């Protein structure tokens, strides 16, 4: 590998790592219905499954894996991922709060997860009231007056279930 | 468009009687598959039998398609899960679901008074008041929290006449061997789902397998579950009680109405 290739690869890897820390490579638009009779109930709770971009079920701890997977891709991937990221930002507004797919038990694929923000774009995730599906690294769980928080640097998150998936609401520091 | 004009031209050219014969036969084909009464009855029979099974442990291997979007392309990817459902009717249930990344699992506990959701990683849990029966729990969880009871088909398939009315066609396709049991294979079509059910032959008509194709998305993602039944389980006294593991943290479940 010559120097030029190396530097562009390294650059892409760096870029990918940076992006991957805020949004993973793939988006999921939804999935199979997992019970026959949820259909009637489902249609009452959501419309337009086909065009709605998926909610992002999230699990902690797969970010590192994602970075490694993504880093092993090459420069081309950077463009794709940037596109995905833009798509994710555009689709964020379609994913308010609780929705049907969060209520499922079988929709938790590591590749399919993404750090999504429901109310703001990724770069300003720390605004109080915004919701993220994965925490930044180095957080500690703290209980204050019986309420569970995650403190990540100066930002405090309150975890909650949306359906069966954990999400984190940015909150003011508890007193 | 050209094809349509060609067909119209052909129609005009051929005798009118012939044309109406063609359209009549097309209509006949479109309405030919009325639900087979025997296939509908199999559902009711299975449901009636399952309600007599008060205690059971059900192990399920399932695959669930997700629609992965990468730029402009969409691709189905398949997730695998195992579920252990422990039930003591009418008011005790536990579901343990694992799959996806190692160490990832979701658990549901219901004891006739409370419903608890516990998930790993993260060791979070939430407990909410619950109605008195599994049947009521199914609608309560859906209405309040947008949560579907895992494997709810075990309790709902064939049990509700209103659900049966959505079936547009139903057919018996023959028998198949699944996990060593002979099971009758049925296919059902509804507006938004196609589903297939395999029901064990003989005096214990339990579901052997279920497949659901979601029609509301053009990628048509599928869910398939294979059931292994234990009708004589040893269920311990504390099986349905949730006790928080060490370092587990209690959080809340967002109510559906709060967010809409």
């Amino acid at each position: 590998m010559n120097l030029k290739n190396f530097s562009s690869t390294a650059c892409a890897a760096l870029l990918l790592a940076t992006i991957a820390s805020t949004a993973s490579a793939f988006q999921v638009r939804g999935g199979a219905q997992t019970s026959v009779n949820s259909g009637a109930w489902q249609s009452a709770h959501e419309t337009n499954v086909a065009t709605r971009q998926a909610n992002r079920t999230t699990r902690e701890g797969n970010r590192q894996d994602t970075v490694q997977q993504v880093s092993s891709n090459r420069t081309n991937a950077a463009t794709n991922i940037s596109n995905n990221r833009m798509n994710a930002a555009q689709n964020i507004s379609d994913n308010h709060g609780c929705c049907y797919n969060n209520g499922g038990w079988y929709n938790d694929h590591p590749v399919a997860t993404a750090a999504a923000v429901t109310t703001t774009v990724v770069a300003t995730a720390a605004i109080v009231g915004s919701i993220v599906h994965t925490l930044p690294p180095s957080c500690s769980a703290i209980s204050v007056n019986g309420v569970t928080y995650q403190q990540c640097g100066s930002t405090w998150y309150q975890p909650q279930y949306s359906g069966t998936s954990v999400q984190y609401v940015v909150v003011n520091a508890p007193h | 468009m050209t094809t349509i004009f060609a067909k119209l031209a052909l129609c005009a050219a051929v005798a009118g009687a012939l044309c109406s014969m063609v359209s009549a036969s097309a209509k006949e084909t479109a309405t030919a598959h009325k639900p087979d009464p025997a296939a509908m009855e199999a559902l009711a029979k299975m449901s009636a039998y399952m309600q007599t099974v008060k205690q059971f442990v059900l192990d399920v291997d399932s695959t669930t398609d997700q629609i992965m979007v990468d730029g402009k392309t969409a691709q189905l990817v398949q997730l695998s899960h195992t579920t252990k459902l422990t039930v003591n009717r009418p008011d005790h249930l536990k579901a343990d679901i694992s799959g996806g990344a190692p160490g990832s699992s979701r658990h549901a506990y219901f004891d006739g008074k409370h419903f608890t959701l516990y998930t790993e990683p993260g060791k979070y849990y939430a407990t909410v008041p619950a109605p008195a029966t599994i049947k009521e729990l199914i609608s309560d969880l859906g209405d309040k929290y947008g949560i579907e009871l895992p494997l709810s088909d075990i309790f709902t398939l064939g049990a509700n006449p209103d659900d049966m009315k959505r079936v547009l066609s139903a057919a018996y396709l023959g028998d198949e061997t699944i996990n060593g049991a002979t099971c009758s294979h049925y296919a059902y079509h509804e507006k938004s789902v196609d589903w297939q059910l395999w029901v064990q032959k003989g005096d214990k008509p339990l579901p052997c397998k279920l497949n659901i194709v979601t029609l509301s998305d053009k990628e048509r993602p599928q869910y398939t579950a294979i059931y292994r039944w234990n009708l004589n389980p040893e269920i311990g006294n504390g099986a349905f009680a949730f006790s928080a593991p060490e370092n587990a943290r209690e959080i809340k479940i967002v109510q559906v109405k709060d967010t809409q």
Side-chain angles (χ1 to χ4, degrees):
Chain A
M1 184 184 284
N2 64 34
L3 186 62
K4 191 182 169 192
N5 275 349
F6 174 76
S7 62
S8 66
T9 306
C11 185
L14 187 65
L15 178 62
L16 289 168
T18 310
I19 292 169
S21 70
T22 52
S24 54
F26 298 102
Q27 302 296 325
V28 168
R29 185 171 75 205
Q33 194 170 313
T34 56
S35 72
V36 172
N37 291 323
S38 70
W41 178 79
Q42 179 180 5
S43 62
H45 282 73
E46 73 172 24
T47 53
N48 210 357
V49 175
T51 56
R52 188 178 57 79
Q53 288 291 318
N55 57 85
R56 288 84 175 171
T57 56
T58 301
R59 210 179 0 234
E60 295 174 44
N62 61 39
R63 179 172 298 135
Q64 282 308 113
D65 294 341
T66 306
V67 171
Q68 283 158 14
Q69 284 165 15
V70 170
S71 297
S72 70
N73 294 329
R74 303 270 170 185
T75 318
N76 286 344
T79 318
N80 292 338
I81 287 170
S82 296
N83 289 341
N84 282 341
R85 190 190 178 201
M86 287 192 301
N87 289 341
Q90 284 159 9
N91 291 321
I92 278 163
S93 59
D94 296 333
N95 282 284
H96 290 290
C98 178
C99 41
Y100 174 77
N101 267 348
N102 280 349
W105 302 79
Y106 302 104
N107 53 359
D108 52 350
H109 197 280
V111 174
T113 60
V117 184
T118 59
T119 54
T120 64
V121 292
V122 172
T124 54
I127 289 174
V128 169
S130 64
I131 295 172
V132 297
H133 294 253
T134 49
L135 290 174
S138 305
C139 301
S140 45
I142 294 171
S143 192
V144 181
N145 297 329
V147 178
T148 299
Y149 296 93
Q150 290 281 352
Q151 185 184 7
C152 316
S154 60
T155 307
W156 289 71
Y157 296 87
Q158 187 175 342
Q160 63 183 22
Y161 280 117
S162 168
T164 59
S165 298
V166 179
Q167 56 177 215
Y168 304 89
V169 186
V170 179
V171 294
N172 290 314
H175 298 292
Chain B
M1 209 54 186
T2 317
T3 321
I4 293 170
F5 278 123
K7 278 183 181 165
L8 282 174
L10 183 67
C11 249
V14 179
L18 185 62
C19 271
S20 54
M21 229 170 81
V22 170
S23 64
S25 84
K27 202 181 253 175
E28 205 171 290
T29 310
T31 55
H33 299 292
K34 291 252 178 190
D36 173 1
M40 299 307 287
E41 202 180 296
L43 284 181
K45 208 174 130 195
M46 178 187 81
S47 173
Y49 171 71
M50 285 202 295
Q51 284 172 38
T52 68
V53 180
K54 298 298 180 194
Q55 280 196 354
F56 62 86
V57 173
L58 174 60
D59 286 292
V60 181
D61 292 322
S62 64
T63 54
T64 309
D65 288 343
Q66 298 286 297
I67 306 154
M68 187 175 78
V69 179
D70 184 15
K72 286 178 180 168
T73 64
Q75 175 182 356
L76 291 181
V77 294
Q78 194 177 69
L79 320 188
S80 299
H81 293 87
T82 59
T83 305
K84 183 182 280 294
L85 186 70
T86 307
V87 170
N88 188 355
R89 288 178 190 268
D91 56 0
H92 286 76
L93 176 147
K94 185 170 74 146
D96 301 294
I97 298 163
S98 58
S104 171
S105 64
R106 291 167 167 170
H107 308 266
Y109 295 80
F110 170 61
D111 63 1
K113 296 185 181 73
H114 295 97
F115 173 81
T116 298
L117 170 63
Y118 172 70
T119 57
E120 291 191 10
K123 289 193 169 183
Y124 291 114
Y125 70 96
T127 299
V128 292
T133 64
I134 293 167
K135 191 183 170 190
E136 293 167 288
L137 180 68
I138 291 172
S139 53
D140 191 69
L141 288 179
D143 293 344
K144 285 186 185 156
Y145 309 108
I147 294 176
E148 194 182 347
L149 191 73
L151 306 179
S152 61
D153 286 312
I154 296 304
F155 306 101
T156 65
L157 272 188
N160 184 350
D162 283 344
D163 290 335
M164 313 270 259
K165 281 180 198 158
R166 286 200 307 274
V167 175
L168 301 173
S169 71
Y172 166 62
L173 305 180
D175 294 342
E176 279 186 28
T177 305
I178 295 171
N179 284 339
T182 305
C183 308
S184 301
H185 183 188
Y186 299 96
Y188 303 87
H189 170 68
E190 297 182 17
K191 191 174 167 226
S192 63
V193 280
D194 278 343
W195 51 286
Q196 298 169 69
L197 182 70
W198 289 256
V199 182
Q200 189 171 305
K201 291 196 88 164
D203 59 357
K204 291 179 180 172
L206 296 165
C208 311
K209 179 179 171 179
L210 174 69
N211 169 271
I212 305 170
V213 183
T214 301
L215 304 179
S216 55
D217 191 289
K218 65 177 165 44
E219 300 294 332
R220 298 167 68 100
Q222 297 197 25
Y223 164 83
T224 302
I226 294 178
Y227 305 114
R228 282 170 289 142
W229 293 86
N230 178 357
L231 302 187
N232 300 297
E234 286 180 22
I235 300 174
N237 283 336
F240 302 99
F242 174 75
S243 64
E246 200 180 344
N247 297 328
R249 293 180 180 273
E250 185 168 14
I251 60 175
K252 289 186 172 153
I253 309 184
V254 179
Q255 294 224 3
V256 172
K257 284 189 178 110
D258 289 351
T259 58
Q260 286 183 345

